[in-house]
Structure formats: C-alpha cells, structure tokens
Amino acid sequence: MTEHRIAILPGDGTGREVAQEAVRLLETISEHSKHGFELTQIDCGGQHFKEVGVEWAEGSFDFCKNDADAIFLGAIGHPGSYLPNGDLAGGSVILGLRSGLDLYANVRPIKLYEGVPHKVHGKFRQIWAPDMVNMSILRENTEGLYYSLLKRASHRAQGLEEYEVPEIEFPDLKGEVAYDPRPISSFGTERLVKMGFEMAEIRNGAPADGVKRVSCIDKSNVTRGCQLFRKTFDQVAKSYPDTEIDYGYIDAFTQWLTRTPEHYDVVVTSNLFGDISTDLASVLQGGMGMAASGNIGDDHAFFEPVHGSSPKYAGQNKVNPIASINSIQMMMDWLGRKENNEDLIHVGKIIDESVAEHLKNNSKLTYDLGGIASCSDVGEAICDLVRGRLIEF
Ligand code: IPM
Ligand code: MN
C-alpha cells in the first residue's frame, strides 16, 4: 500500500460541497486499490477570513509545501470579502500557492464527453459531435497581469514583508491612476511552452486531423510581453520538429475556438488570456461544471475545479461535482507520472472512463446539464462506477 498525503482545501461556497465529492472519490480509491490517501483538511478562504479574521491558519502554506504530495482546492471567493489592502480575501490560498509553490502551468483540459450538451447554440442544442472538442489550454500561472497580485498573495502566505509594486509615473494621465504591471519572462514562458510540447507528445492530436499541434495564443501584434512570449515559443518549438505549430492573436482565437474547436490540441497562452479563454472554452464542454484544472510546477501541484465558489448555489447540494472529480483524475495522473507509477496513471484513466460512462447513460445529471440530480447523487454514482472498475482491475 502506497500512502499519499493530500491536503484538502474546501474554501468558499460550493467549493465546500464539491470538496466532499473529491474526498468521497479519494476514499473510494483508498478502499479498493493499493493506493492509500491520508487526507488533511485545511479550512480557508474569504468566508473563513470574514468569520475568523485570517485566510487560513498560520502554517498552512508550509503544510502544503512540505507535508502534502498533492493538494485539492474547492474554490476561493466570498461576496464582499476583501482584505484591508483591497485584495481578494482568500488570495493567499489560491494565488499564494500558485506563486509561492511556483506552479507555473495552469492546465485546463477542454473535453466534450458523449451525452453532454455543449452550450453554444440555444439551451441544450448539440451541434458538434463530442469527439470534436478535446484540447488542453495551458495558462501561464506565475507572471503576466497577475504578477503583482500573485507576489502580494505569496508574500502574505509565507509571512514575508508586503510586496510593493515598483513605482511607475504616468505624468500625462489625469485623475487617480491605478496600474498592474504585466511582466513576461523568457524563463517563465519557456518552461510553460515545454510542458505544452511534452503534453502534445502523449495526447492523440487535434480532433480534426489527429495532428499533434501546439498553438501559441498571444497579442504579439501589440504588446512587448507577447512578442517575447512568441519568440520564446518559436525557440522551444525547434526542439519538437514533429509537432505542428500554429499561432493566433487572442481576439481572433476567441472566434476560432468557438467556431472550429476541433482544430486545437494543446494551446499555450499568458496568464489573463488563459483565465478568460478557459471560461469561454468551458462552454464547449458543457459549462463550468465540467471544467477541471491542475496548477502544476516541477515539485508541487494543486488541482481545482475552474468554476469558483458560485455563492448563488452554495449550500444547496446542487452544483456539478464532475469538475472536481476530473480534477482528482488529473491529480492521479500527475502523481503517477511524477512517481513513474503506471498503476496510479491507470487509476486516473479509470476515473475518466467512469465519468464517460456516467454521462453517456445520462441518468443522473445536475441542473447545468439538464438534469435534476444533486451534487452528492452524481458524486456517489460516479464513485460506484469507479469502485466497480477498481475491483475488476
Ligand atoms: C481562476 C479564477 C481565479 C483567477 C480567481 C479566483 C483569483 O478566476 O482560477 O480562473 O483569476 O485566476
Ligand atoms: Mn478564472
């Protein structure tokens, strides 16, 4: 029995409900495979800040860094909960971990499962076959427009002195001026782009033509940072001559993404562009309830559904847990590859197959997919399928 130490950070709103389904899945795997998980829950977030006065208990960042093999985060964000300096309360958790643990790639797979209606035309009209949407968007996660916010959050999380944004003067601007620098480095870009090419090697290529393709999405027609991003992309690409490369400006990409998603295999982009385009892309996979992610570095990683805390639905056992279940799928795959453990990689595949089977049968779906099942109904049903497969395996 191998033991993995997993930190569970439920966070805010519906994050707390979906975290329970992530836990249910980890416990199912523990019970029916040779992989054990030692779970440690850490209360955190904006609501926690409002109630207790801290974003998480002291030592939590260090625990995540030194005592966890992987981390699951539910969601961060509570209405009206901001720190005295104006930053999002709970930022120490989500942004502090991204920056403080150097999790430079935010990997967001966009895959439309059979039986799931995407949400582009009308309410539940299907215009693409499921096998036409299967890409992974890699969002740079430590630099770009988030840089100063990330630095403030990680300094706070690590108990370092407050990070101050370097002063820039804009003498011709009138009235109050606020700005966020957007630094992009060749180092930060290179490691992200490399991960993109490595990922393309183990994927099956773009749905349209099976071609392994990495697309560089930027705005290099206007910004210096993006020019460096693209230049670095081109340099990295030289080491992967068998993979097709492709470019797009972020504005045009939003059209192509929705018009011809089957063209895309792996997409690399900068921080804010990745934030925006992955919310858009979630529409192609049936909505945010289906959008999983991994914040991945060389030594650490945390996995979270992209949907956020959705306060409107909090406490109702209503939201779709599949984004969280698939985030655990990504966790298993990441741990397996890190440890060269084929068996654990296979557990990830079992989760994927179980989710696919569940969705294909279309029986228990949450409201966002047109059903009436609860969050825990869906979590239980998928765990039953996972259990069956684990026992057979
Ligand atoms: C995301 C979220 C976060 C972000 C927020 C909660 C800080 O929108 O993970 O995409 O902007 O990165
Ligand atoms: Mn976002």
Side-chain angles (χ1 to χ4, degrees):
M1 173 87 132
T2 53
E3 272 291 314
H4 287 98
R5 302 160 304 170
I6 312 291
I8 303 285
L9 283 53
D12 292 310
T14 55
R16 299 180 179 186
E17 293 149 54
V18 293
Q20 285 177 22
E21 299 316 312
V23 166
R24 190 197 302 277
L25 177 57
L26 288 168
E27 285 173 348
T28 304
I29 301 168
S30 272
E31 272 166 43
H32 300 282
S33 76
K34 55 179 187 257
H35 307 286
F37 298 101
E38 184 193 312
L39 309 182
T40 304
Q41 184 172 317
I42 299 175
D43 295 332
C44 59
Q47 190 175 345
H48 191 73
F49 177 77
K50 224 172 187 172
E51 289 162 4
V52 187
V54 291
E55 295 167 285
W56 49 2
E58 216 185 306
S60 299
F61 176 85
D62 291 336
F63 182 90
C64 290
K65 183 174 178 182
N66 303 321
D67 300 303
D69 298 314
I71 303 159
F72 175 85
L73 171 63
I76 292 295
H78 185 65
S81 188
Y82 289 90
L83 301 174
N85 74 355
D87 286 349
L88 176 80
S92 289
V93 183
I94 185 166
L95 301 163
L97 287 172
R98 283 178 186 170
S99 173
L101 297 182
D102 206 19
L103 310 178
Y104 55 85
N106 195 325
V107 178
R108 298 185 160 181
I110 316 293
K111 167 169 155 177
L112 182 63
Y113 283 89
E114 195 179 339
V116 175
H118 68 68
K119 299 193 166 175
V120 181
H121 276 217
K123 208 172 173 203
F124 292 124
R125 197 172 133 208
Q126 190 79 50
I127 49 173
W128 289 303
D131 59 7
M132 288 173 79
V133 181
N134 192 344
M135 72 187 87
S136 192
I137 300 184
L138 272 62
R139 161 187 178 188
E140 202 293 322
N141 216 25
T142 53
E143 314 186 331
L145 201 61
Y146 280 69
Y147 181 76
S148 49
L149 180 59
L150 284 161
K151 291 303 262 191
R152 284 198 297 275
S154 75
H155 278 221
R156 221 166 46 243
Q158 296 173 80
L160 304 173
E161 69 180 70
E162 181 158 341
Y163 175 80
E164 300 278 356
V165 183
E167 287 282 340
I168 311 177
E169 301 281 327
F170 302 94
D172 60 323
L173 295 182
K174 299 190 177 64
E176 196 180 332
V177 175
Y179 59 90
D180 305 272
R182 182 183 178 254
I184 288 186
S185 74
S186 57
F187 175 80
T189 307
E190 189 183 314
R191 57 188 186 170
L192 176 86
V193 172
K194 263 193 191 147
M195 189 189 287
F197 278 96
E198 296 293 328
M199 190 175 287
E201 310 248 289
I202 54 176
R203 289 174 51 89
N204 298 321
D209 47 16
V211 171
K212 292 188 186 299
R213 179 178 294 120
V214 181
S215 305
C216 177
I217 301 302
D218 58 47
K219 190 71 185 172
S220 55
N221 50 342
V222 284
T223 78
R224 296 267 165 87
C226 283
Q227 285 163 2
L228 178 60
F229 191 90
R230 189 175 284 203
K231 187 172 100 181
T232 310
F233 173 86
D234 282 336
Q235 277 160 0
V236 174
K238 285 190 195 134
S239 308
Y240 300 89
D242 298 334
T243 302
E244 190 175 295
I245 56 172
D246 164 57
Y247 308 98
Y249 297 140
I250 181 66
D251 47 351
F253 176 62
T254 59
Q255 287 180 63
W256 300 334
L257 177 64
T258 41
R259 204 175 58 195
T260 44
E262 66 274 20
H263 173 74
Y264 294 100
D265 176 13
V266 175
V267 174
V268 292
T269 192
S270 56
N271 205 337
L272 185 69
F273 294 162
D275 179 45
I276 298 169
S277 59
T278 52
D279 271 34
L280 174 63
S282 80
V283 171
L284 307 170
Q285 63 184 152
M288 288 299 250
M290 297 297 298
S293 79
N295 295 260
I296 297 178
D298 291 331
D299 303 316
H300 302 276
F302 81 81
F303 299 84
E304 56 167 345
V306 185
H307 53 61
S309 60
S310 359
K312 187 162 105 187
Y313 296 116
Q316 297 174 36
N317 190 21
K318 205 176 160 182
V319 297
N320 191 345
I322 295 179
S324 290
I325 289 168
N326 277 347
S327 298
I328 296 293
Q329 176 193 147
M330 293 177 78
M331 183 193 281
M332 296 301 109
D333 189 74
W334 180 77
L335 280 170
R337 289 181 196 281
K338 189 163 173 245
E339 294 165 6
N340 223 336
N341 184 337
E342 283 299 325
D343 206 75
L344 205 47
I345 297 175
H346 191 78
V347 171
K349 291 206 181 98
I350 284 181
I351 300 174
D352 182 50
E353 287 162 12
S354 304
V355 168
E357 183 183 341
H358 176 83
L359 290 166
K360 197 171 163 187
N361 294 337
N362 235 329
S363 56
K364 278 186 184 160
L365 300 177
T366 42
Y367 78 95
D368 54 316
L369 300 183
I372 52 161
S374 68
C375 177
S376 49
D377 283 343
V378 173
E380 272 172 33
I382 293 174
C383 279
D384 286 343
L385 296 172
V386 168
R387 187 178 301 112
R389 284 188 159 75
L390 285 173
I391 291 168
E392 257 172 48
F393 172 51

